[in-house]
Amino acid sequence: MYSHLLILSLLCSLWFNLHASTNKERLTNQIDIILAKNEIKKANLSVSLQNVSHDNPLISINSQQQRHPASVIKIITTLGALEILGPNYYWETLFFTDGIVIGNKLKGNLFIKGKGDPFLSIEDIWKIVYEFRKLGILHVEGKVFIDNTFFENSYINKKPKSNRLYEVEPNSIMANFKWVDFHINIKNNVAEILHFPPLENLKVKNQIKISDKPCISKNIKLKLKEQPEVHNVLISGEIPKSCNKYKLSRTVMSAEDYFFYLFKYIWESTDNGRLTPAYSLRKITTGLAPLINWKSKDLGSVVKSTNKWSNNLMSKTLVYSIGYDPKLGRARSKLGIKSINNFLLEHGLLSDTIKIIDGSGLNKEVRASTEDIIRVLNFAWHRNIMPEFVASLSIAGKDGTTRNLFKRKDLRNAARIKTGTLNSVISAGGYLFSKSGAVYSFAAIVNRKNLSKNKARNTLEDIIKLVVEKL
């Protein structure tokens, strides 16, 4: 009887291997057809596909080749944050005083210490001001001091590298991503500019010219130049008068300036409160009386925004937070990267092809292979943080960075994907749920100079649809 069972077991194993081999060959052949249709060379593509419950890949095309993964590297960053910090981790923004409250006045100075909340929004600032009102404080008669020292070597009071929202750098006193909307309204062939939030120290110089061209994107040629030393923003260029209304969203000012003037705007918009017209930087010492301890959204929620919307500021801030040094009382990006690498090493996930840099994927030196990515994805699937991690990935074609993709496909919520895009990179990684009920870890990267992004995206979308429907 035992010999019969052994033979049956061997036959089942043989059948499974033959079936897997047939599937692998069939999928590889169909991928070749997809590549030819989209004019993508196989040498420029890496693809890995593996059942989350199996050890061997079903598809492996250039899977060990080190490539630039762009924002797909955030898969590693966010997994590290969830594992090291925990889904319930939160950030604090602390408010102290050296004075006392008499009537509706704070007789003394107000001290503010940021500890790196990457998702401190305008709505949160309103709620913080309301907390002060509940303490009976309407007016601050002393000075305001901001402590921005919690992040070591962050971009403190420096001119930003870029005014693009995706390039905001971490700061321990960040608020609202330093986001400003410039509303351009065209009346009588003249462009008027309003900005929100209406920060009182932000002065806008308007040099916009009006054209008679059609209102299409190529005819909107606006430029924004910031002069942070005098709090000026110059907006120039050309816009068609037929556009009527247009919104230009940018990040401006230092994080400290933005926080203070946003806080001041909301403070003075509520119950006619009064606040000092300026602030100073000062490291907070002991002996101050606590007023408010504002707690952020939990890490599980922040990770969802980080991956779904590929938020670079959040991913870089996660690295800083992971790198908190209790001896220094400060957070360091380099220590965060070291901690993530140590975690990967401890669990057999680190390889010579992984190079994280700052956690975001923007840096030109970031590297990983598709084999690295699916190894991390398979690991995450079997961890306690799996629900938060999977929920953070975009539902293909439905939300996040993929909401405008997969329009030619009806995947019926069968793909949870993190995407990446740079000039020479199109990438994707996540989980695919096939019609047979199996779950697969998937990663694909296309690297090439002068890359056709549309053709590369179509290639990855076709491969994803192939897996979902045929496996």
Side-chain angles (χ1 to χ4, degrees), residues 139-150:
H139 311 300
V140 176
E141 296 201 337
K143 297 179 180 179
V144 174
F145 296 99
I146 291 178
D147 183 344
N148 60 0
T149 62
F150 188 71

Side-chain angles (χ1 to χ4, degrees), residues 220-271:
I220 300 172
K221 301 174 181 178
L222 297 176
K223 296 180 181 179
L224 183 146
K225 182 179 180 181
E226 184 177 5
Q227 298 173 298
E229 63 277 0
V230 290
H231 304 299
N232 278 348
V233 167
L234 170 65
I235 301 179
S236 60
E238 184 180 280
I239 187 170
K241 64 181 179 182
S242 58
C243 290
N244 293 322
K245 295 182 179 181
Y246 184 79
K247 183 173 71 174
L248 182 68
S249 298
R250 291 292 186 268
T251 172
V252 297
M253 307 167 64
S254 71
E256 296 80 8
D257 280 354
Y258 188 101
F259 180 95
F260 174 76
Y261 288 104
L262 177 60
F263 183 69
K264 185 174 189 293
Y265 161 67
I266 293 174
W267 184 283
E268 295 182 345
S269 298
T270 309
D271 305 319

